[in-house]
């Protein structure tokens, strides 16, 4: 299913997250450094924004969202011995969000909630990727689509 425009930025992060999860599961030597750089660059922000923006829309799934974020944070703190467990937890969490949480949110958010989410995720992306040319271009393309819709 095509991801709603409002949730696209999170799904884009998930593509990167799955690459990271694979590196961790395969215990590649560079994986712990990759994840700690990703944490500083985007992952901590991704978690915080999902909780702030999606938590209120997640209904009964909110508890699992918060709980799995805390588990993943804890496993990051236990690197390098937690490498494989962390990779698995990250992959499972992303798959659950993509297959269960996001479709549930898409099916029940109101038009106002969707408009707010589009606005807030745009701010998130512009803040985070302003200095990353390849990603900034993707952000701009999404902005063009948002503007052509309104
Ligand atoms: Fe998450
Ligand atoms: Fe996520």
């Amino acid at each position: 299913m095509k991801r709603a425009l409002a949730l696209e930025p999170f799904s884009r992060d998930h593509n990167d997250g799955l690459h990271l999860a694979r590196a961790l599961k395969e215990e590649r030597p560079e994986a712990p450094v990759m994840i700690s750089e990703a944490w500083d660059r985007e992952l901590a922000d991704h978690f915080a924004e999902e909780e702030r923006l999606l938590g209120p829309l997640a209904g009964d799934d909110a508890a699992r969202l918060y709980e799995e974020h805390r588990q993943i944070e804890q496993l990051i703190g236990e690197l390098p011995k937690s490498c494989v467990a962390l990779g698995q937890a990250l992959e499972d969490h992303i798959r659950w969000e993509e297959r269960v949480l996001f479709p549930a949110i898409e099916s029940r958010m109101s038009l106002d909630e969707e408009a707010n989410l589009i606005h807030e995720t745009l701010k998130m992306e512009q803040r985070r990727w302003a200095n990353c040319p390849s990603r900034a271009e993707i952000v701009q393309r999404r902005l063009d689509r948002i503007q052509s819709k309104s």
Side-chain angles (χ1 to χ4, degrees), residues 76 96 110 117 142:
I76 290 173
W96 171 72
S110 68
L117 198 51
R142 177 169 175 265

Side-chain angles (χ1 to χ4, degrees), residues 21-79:
R22 191 172 318 123
L24 288 159
K25 282 169 66 179
E26 291 173 359
E27 295 185 271
R28 289 190 217 152
E30 70 276 20
V33 172
M34 283 168 71
I35 186 122
S36 66
E37 286 176 359
W39 177 260
D40 293 342
R41 188 178 59 237
E42 61 185 80
L43 201 52
D45 189 54
H46 179 100
F47 281 10
E49 291 290 63
E50 280 184 342
E51 290 175 21
R52 182 175 77 86
L53 299 171
L54 305 186
L57 306 175
D60 292 342
D61 291 321
R64 179 169 173 180
L65 177 73
Y66 301 134
E67 194 180 311
E68 292 190 359
H69 285 177
R70 297 296 86 74
Q71 280 170 357
I72 290 167
E73 279 185 62
Q74 191 179 336
L75 288 166
I76 290 173
E78 293 166 10
L79 281 169

Side-chain angles (χ1 to χ4, degrees), residues 99-127:
R99 289 173 185 167
V100 179
L101 180 66
F102 285 13
I105 289 173
E106 284 168 344
S107 72
R108 67 177 167 237
M109 67 183 163
S110 68
L111 287 174
D112 279 353
E113 286 168 340
E114 185 179 12
N116 180 59
L117 198 51
I118 286 174
H119 178 71
E120 290 294 324
T121 52
L122 182 64
K123 282 200 297 192
M124 171 183 85
E125 287 211 298
Q126 288 178 325
R127 158 168 53 76

